[in-house]
């Protein structure tokens, strides 16, 4: 009895599976034509759970769809047939002999009206829309969309096709295209108004605008306006309305709805690296302090070798997104060179940040710093007033995980004895980084850093202006800041000059995972006469996390006592 029941149950399940089987579609094009086959399959679509009888009723529909799919690619003489096999599963077989495709004869593409004088408004550049090319309805429709989309972007809202013809002569095997677009007048952006609960001066808001009233319409300007307001950091919500339907005399009013963000925010962060071990960061920010958009805040960092706190006050300039005047001050306590040096540093001064037209970021500064330090049994004090100039340039295809790009950082500062400074001093530093990717998996990275400090008596130079090498971001294989000249007591005291370099190859073996191999070289030293450079080689593993790359390296020092050291760090490659 149990056997009969089990057999019956098995039969019911098997029968249900047969009934539920999805019908199969097979399209054969002779001679083979993958594009045509795929287009026919897409037009016919899935067959669902049809049996052979249902497919018989669907045959004519399938053949009609196949014919339309063939005509869309220019095959107007296609011979199409079909047959059904019962299966299982039931199968619809469609056979296609496409024949010769239609070719384009006369092709007229033209823009009339003011848009014809606009360099950005261009005719579709498609080689498949030239006389002699195979007819493809998709290319014709794409050409129409291209003209309409350009008209919508550049403000030709009254534009229309005065001719839009696709004349087909299957007997002659030819098709003629005529597309003539009359743009009509170009609309302009009209009066700009701000509404909502903004607490900022309109003069500041006007400096955030990428255009002025009566500028020719460009949808990209509207998008840039939205992005500028969001990037300012003042607003919780931004809505920009520029409706062509509200235009008066071809002038479109622009209304900007603003909602202020909460005035204060607090940020906390944790991190770890083999250079400084675990570290914590915290910040408090007042995003606007007055109608002029001034802001201020406090930043703190805590790790075993370094603890600091900084205060800043920003005043936006013009343009406010890139240019500002910052007043900054801070205190830092740091153990350098493996605790051979203790440094307490107090800084204060203004900084003028600006972005140049060529993309470089420039910072002009005037920093006063007072530093107390101990070199083993020796101690010292330094006071310096240092004008400074910095330039930085970053070019990359991604902020989080770029595949191509480079970074350049140039810093120069100096002090003059008697001008609130203990000594004459000139301090410079250059950093170069580059990255390129070949074949999607093979990444090549390089970096070089060199710097120097010239002073009237190097003994008067404080630790913060000396150079140390070694560590995760310097010469791997050596501990953090351990590559340094020593004093008579054997304490590492920092060098007058620095040179470090690195070459790295990464191979992407899985999504977000890479293997790395590298060679690092560098040192800090007091003389440019044949400096002793330390070298290391190693292997590493990279994981591109949602917050940026994480790096784990095993590096073997080739000089001194050698050995293998583990390095862990995180952050962008550039």
């Amino acid at each position: 009895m149990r056997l009969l029941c089990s057999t019956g149950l098995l039969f019911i399940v098997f029968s249900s599976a047969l009934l539920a089987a999805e019908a199969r579609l097979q399209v054969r094009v002779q001679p083979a034509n993958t594009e045509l086959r795929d287009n026919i399959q897409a037009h016919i679509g899935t067959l669902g759970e049809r049996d052979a009888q249902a497919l018989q009723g669907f045959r004519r529909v399938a053949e009609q769809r196949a014919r339309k799919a063939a005509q869309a690619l220019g095959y107007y003489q296609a011979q199409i047939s079909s047959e059904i096999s019962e299966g299982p599963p039931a199968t619809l077989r469609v056979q296609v002999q496409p024949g010769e495709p239609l070719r384009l004869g006369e092709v007229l593409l033209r823009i009339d009206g003011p848009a014809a004088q606009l360099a950005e408004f261009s005719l579709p550049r498609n080689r498949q829309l030239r006389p002699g090319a195979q007819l493809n309805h998709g290319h014709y429709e794409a050409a129409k969309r291209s003209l309409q989309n350009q008209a919508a972007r550049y403000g030709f809202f009254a534009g229309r096709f005065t001719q839009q013809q696709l004349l087909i002569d299957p007997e002659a095997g030819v098709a003629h295209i005529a597309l003539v677009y009359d743009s009509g007048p170009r609309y302009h952006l009209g009066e700009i108004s701000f509404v909502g609960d903004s607490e900022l001066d309109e003069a500041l808001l006007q400096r955030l605008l990428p255009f002025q009233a009566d500028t020719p319409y460009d949808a990209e300007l509207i998008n840039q306006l939205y992005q500028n307001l969001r990037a300012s950091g003042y607003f919780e919500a931004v809505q920009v309305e520029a409706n062509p339907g509200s235009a008066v005399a071809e002038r479109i009013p622009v209304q900007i709805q603003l909602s202020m963000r909460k005035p204060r925010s607090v940020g906390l962060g944790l991190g770890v690296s083999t250079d400084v071990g675990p570290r914590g960061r915290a910040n408090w920010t007042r995003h606007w302090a007055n109608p002029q958009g001034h802001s201020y805040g406090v930043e703190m960092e805590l790790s075993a070798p370094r603890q600091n706190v900084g205060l800043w006050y920003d005043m936006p300039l013009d343009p406010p997104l890139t240019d500002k005047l910052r007043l900054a001050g801070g205190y830092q306590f740091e153990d350098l060179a493996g605790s051979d040096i203790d440094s307490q540093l107090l800084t204060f001064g203004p900084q003028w940040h600006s972005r140049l037209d060529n993309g470089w970021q420039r910072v002009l500064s005037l920093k006063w710093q007072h530093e107390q330090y101990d070199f083993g049994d020796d101690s010292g004090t330094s006071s310096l007033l240092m004008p400074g100039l910095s330039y930085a340039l970053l070019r990359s295809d991604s902020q989080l995980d770029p595949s191509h790009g480079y970074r350049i950082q140039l810093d120069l500062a100096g002090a003059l004895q008697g001008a609130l400074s203990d000594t004459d001093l000139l301090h410079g530093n250059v950093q170069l980084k580059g990255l390129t990717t070949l074949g999607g998996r093979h990444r090549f990275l390089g970096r070089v850093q060199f710097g120097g400090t010239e002073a009237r008596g190097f003994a008067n130079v404080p630790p913060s202006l000396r150079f140390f090498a070694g560590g995760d971001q310097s010469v791997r294989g050596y501990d953090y800041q351990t590559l340094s000249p020593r004093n008579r007591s054997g304490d590492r005291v920092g060098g007058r000059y620095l040179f470090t370099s690195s070459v790295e190859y990464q191979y992407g073996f899985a999504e977000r995972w890479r293997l790395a191999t590298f060679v690092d070289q560098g040192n800090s030293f007091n003389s440019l006469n044949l400096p002793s450079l330390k070298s290391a080689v190693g292997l590493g593993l990279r994981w591109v996390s949602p917050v940026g790359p994480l790096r784990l390296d095993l590096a073997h020092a080739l000089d001194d006592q050698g050995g293998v050291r583990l390095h862990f760090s995180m952050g962008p490659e550039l």
Side-chain angles (χ1 to χ4, degrees), residues 89-141:
T91 302
L92 170 61
R93 294 186 175 88
V94 179
Q95 292 85 30
V96 180
Q97 292 180 335
E100 286 297 318
L102 272 64
R103 300 286 174 177
L104 295 181
E106 297 178 2
V107 178
L108 172 62
L109 301 175
R110 192 177 74 226
I111 301 170
D112 292 338
Q117 308 303 317
L118 185 64
E120 295 86 353
F121 200 118
S122 60
L123 289 170
R125 298 175 181 177
N126 190 335
R127 295 181 178 178
Q128 303 304 319
L129 289 177
R130 297 177 180 177
Q134 181 175 332
L135 171 64
N136 186 310
H137 287 253
H139 296 154
Y140 171 75
E141 295 297 331

Side-chain angles (χ1 to χ4, degrees), residues 170-302:
E171 296 297 328
V174 69
H176 306 289
I177 290 177
L179 282 178
V180 179
Y181 192 83
D182 185 354
S183 68
R186 187 177 187 182
Y187 284 48
H188 286 62
L189 295 166
E191 181 182 356
I192 303 169
S193 59
F194 297 92
V195 297
D197 63 354
S198 173
E199 300 182 24
L200 303 176
D201 279 348
E202 185 158 334
L204 173 61
L205 297 177
Q206 290 288 339
R207 298 206 304 272
L208 289 167
L209 299 177
F211 60 86
Q212 300 299 319
D214 209 36
T215 297
Y217 182 92
D218 187 337
E220 184 58 33
L221 291 176
I222 301 299
N223 179 62
Q224 188 61 54
L225 169 59
Y226 174 82
Q227 297 297 335
N228 286 1
L229 293 169
R230 293 291 297 177
S232 69
Y234 297 129
F235 307 108
E236 181 71 25
V238 174
Q239 182 177 348
V240 180
E241 182 177 344
N243 186 359
S246 303
V248 176
E250 297 159 6
R251 298 295 186 270
I252 304 172
V254 180
Q255 186 179 82
I256 305 167
Q257 179 81 32
L258 300 173
S259 177
M260 298 296 289
R261 68 175 296 171
K262 294 180 179 180
R264 303 171 185 85
S265 67
V266 175
L268 298 173
L270 295 174
V272 64
S273 72
T274 46
D275 278 354
V276 301
R279 68 175 181 268
R281 292 180 177 175
N283 65 74
W284 177 90
T285 303
R286 170 76 191 222
H287 297 283
W288 80 92
N290 53 34
Q292 289 73 43
H294 294 188
S295 58
Y296 55 87
V298 182
E299 300 173 333
M300 292 171 283
E301 180 180 348
L302 177 65

Side-chain angles (χ1 to χ4, degrees), residues 386-403:
M386 303 181 66
L389 175 63
S390 296
Y391 284 93
L393 179 65
L394 173 63
R395 293 279 191 262
S396 68
D397 53 8
S398 170
Q399 292 184 349
L400 184 65
D401 183 39
S403 57

Side-chain angles (χ1 to χ4, degrees), residues 329-342:
Y331 170 81
Q332 176 174 282
F333 177 83
E334 185 173 13
D335 287 334
L336 293 96
S339 299
D340 285 350
I341 303 174
D342 291 336

Side-chain angles (χ1 to χ4, degrees), residues 443-484:
R443 293 163 58 88
F444 299 88
L445 299 89
R447 58 176 168 85
V448 175
Q449 180 180 3
F450 50 92
T453 298
E454 295 294 338
R456 183 178 296 177
F458 189 66
N460 297 324
V461 177
S464 62
L465 297 176
R466 299 186 179 201
F467 293 98
F468 301 84
D472 304 338
Q473 307 299 322
S474 181
V475 183
R476 287 164 288 189
Y478 302 86
D479 286 340
Y480 181 52
Q481 295 185 337
T482 57
L483 296 181
S484 163

Side-chain angles (χ1 to χ4, degrees), residues 23 49-60 84-87 89-92:
E49 298 175 0
R50 289 184 170 94
D51 59 14
Q53 183 176 358
L55 286 181
Q56 286 290 350
F58 181 71
R59 281 180 59 189
R60 298 305 176 195
I84 307 295
S85 65
E86 295 188 358
T91 302
L92 170 61

